[in-house]
Structure formats: structure tokens, C-alpha cells
Amino acid sequence: MIKFFRKIRQGLLSEHKFSKYLLYAFGEIILVVVGILIALQLNLKSENNKLDAERQNYYHQLLDDLNKDKVYIEETIATLDSFRSDYNKYKETFKAPNINPNQVLENVFQLEVASKLIEFNYSTIETLENTGDIKLLAPHIRNKIANLKREQDLIMKISFSNDSNKNTILEQASLLVGSSTLTERLNNQPDLTEFLKSEYNYPKLFLVMEAMHEWKKASEDKTIKSLSELLLANNELTELITKELED
């Protein structure tokens, strides 16, 4: 093709048709420029298709993470609701007159003392932030993701703080009963048992456990409220990403 154009130029020059040569040369330049533009356009289209494929892949990964978080949030709320239900049933026992103190102490010890620590999956979001690919996402989706992550971070921070505070209260309870094996070891130690007279600590122990469970329930109420709001944000972001994929 290059030899073909060269022969045309040489022919025009040899025939002293300079004006036609200039016109031809100009046309050849236009042709080269158009070819370059077409090549750039094709390259740009290829790059855009590649970026769009990456964007679509991230959207699908985010949807998968959001779905897992949704299931996790719903299960966590159900667990916390179960804790609250048990505590409410415990409080209902006080409606009976003259309940036995030992039975009340036994009832409060049957309540779940373990907390539900909140943790979320950040794998896709962290990949987007670490690689800088977060810029591939639509601005309104980036903003929603940032807001969602802030809410998740706050809920996890409060969850760990609440668990730490609860454990501090439990430490006070443990000081009133000794180790978990002390009662068993006191079976053949009547003098030591009389000396310790653990029943004198029962009122304090009961009050500590009562305070802990009331505080635990209050913190779980707030966590459920926060998780419910997070669930709404999760659903909203899921709808936005789904719409982006459809468009």
C-alpha cells in the first residue's frame, strides 16, 4: 500500500503536476489522520469495554457482599431479640408474690451473659480503596458505600466497647464467687466454708448480675436499632447497584 502511494506521488512529480501533487499529499495526510483517529477510537472503545467489565465485576462482588451482610444482620437481630425475650421472661417472674431468693438468683444466672460481637465483610470495599478502582464506580454509589462503611465501623466500635464494659461488670461478679471450681473444692472443707460464708455475697452478686443484664439489654436495644437502619441502607445500595447493572 505504501509503495502504491509512493508511485502515485512520483508520477505526479515527474509529470510536473505540482498542484495535483499538493492536493494528493493533503488527501494522504487526511487519510493518515483519519486512520489514526479510527485507531485511537477503537483503542478507546476497547479500554472502555475493559473498564466497564471491571466495573460490572465489582458491582456483582458488592452485591454478593451486601447480600451476605443482609443475612448476617437479620440473623444478628434475631439473636439479640432472643436475648431480650429471655430477659423479659426473667422479669415476668417477679410478678409472682414472695418468690424464693435462691430461685431468683438461679434464674438470673440462667440468662445468657455472652455478647454478640458485630463484624462485617469489607473484602470488596477494601480492594476498591487499596487499588484506587473505587473511581470506576458511579459517584452516587461511591458516596453510599462510604456512608455504609462509616455506619458499619461505628456499629462494630460500639459493639466491642459494650462487650468490654459488660466484661468489666462480670469481673465484679467473679470477685464475689471466686473461681468456677471453688464450690466443688469446698465440699469437704466445712471450716473454710463457714469462714467464707458465701451466702453473704449473694445480695451483692444478685445486684451486680441484675445491673449487668439490664445494661446488656439496653445496649442490645440500641444495636438492634442501628442494625435495622443499616439494613435499610443496605437495601437502598443494593437497588442502586442493581439499577446500574441494568442500565
Side-chain angles (χ1 to χ4, degrees), residues 34-46:
V34 170
I36 293 174
L37 291 176
I38 291 175
L40 289 174
Q41 187 66 27
L42 291 174
N43 184 62
L44 180 61
K45 183 177 180 180
S46 176

Side-chain angles (χ1 to χ4, degrees), residues 73-197:
I73 291 171
E74 291 173 342
E75 290 177 347
T76 300
I77 290 176
T79 298
L80 297 179
D81 272 333
S82 177
F83 291 165
R84 294 195 306 172
S85 177
D86 289 342
Y87 182 63
N88 289 333
K89 289 178 182 177
Y90 160 75
K91 291 199 297 184
E92 287 291 318
T93 64
F94 285 80
K95 292 183 178 180
N98 299 319
I99 52 179
N100 184 282
N102 290 328
Q103 183 61 53
V104 176
L105 191 61
E106 181 180 342
N107 290 343
V108 78
F109 268 104
Q110 288 178 351
L111 293 174
E112 180 62 66
V113 297
S115 300
K116 178 67 176 178
L117 293 177
I118 311 298
E119 295 182 281
F120 293 101
N121 174 30
Y122 285 159
S123 57
T124 302
I125 295 177
E126 288 179 344
T127 298
L128 284 166
E129 292 177 340
N130 294 336
T131 61
D133 286 344
I134 189 74
K135 65 181 180 295
L136 294 176
L137 309 185
H140 65 289
I141 290 181
R142 292 203 302 266
N143 293 335
K144 288 292 183 182
I145 289 175
N147 292 336
L148 186 73
K149 189 172 183 295
R150 277 194 295 270
E151 289 300 315
Q152 290 176 330
D153 287 338
L154 180 60
I155 290 174
M156 288 195 298
K157 182 178 179 180
I158 293 175
S159 171
F160 280 91
S161 176
N162 286 342
D163 184 64
S164 177
N165 291 334
K166 181 213 66 180
N167 288 335
T168 299
I169 300 175
L170 283 177
E171 287 175 6
Q172 298 178 33
S174 69
L175 293 176
L176 297 173
V177 295
S179 69
S180 59
T181 63
L182 178 60
T183 301
E184 181 182 350
R185 286 183 281 121
L186 289 176
N187 285 337
N188 63 341
Q189 301 293 337
D191 293 339
L192 183 56
T193 300
E194 177 63 22
F195 172 75
L196 292 174
K197 290 184 177 179

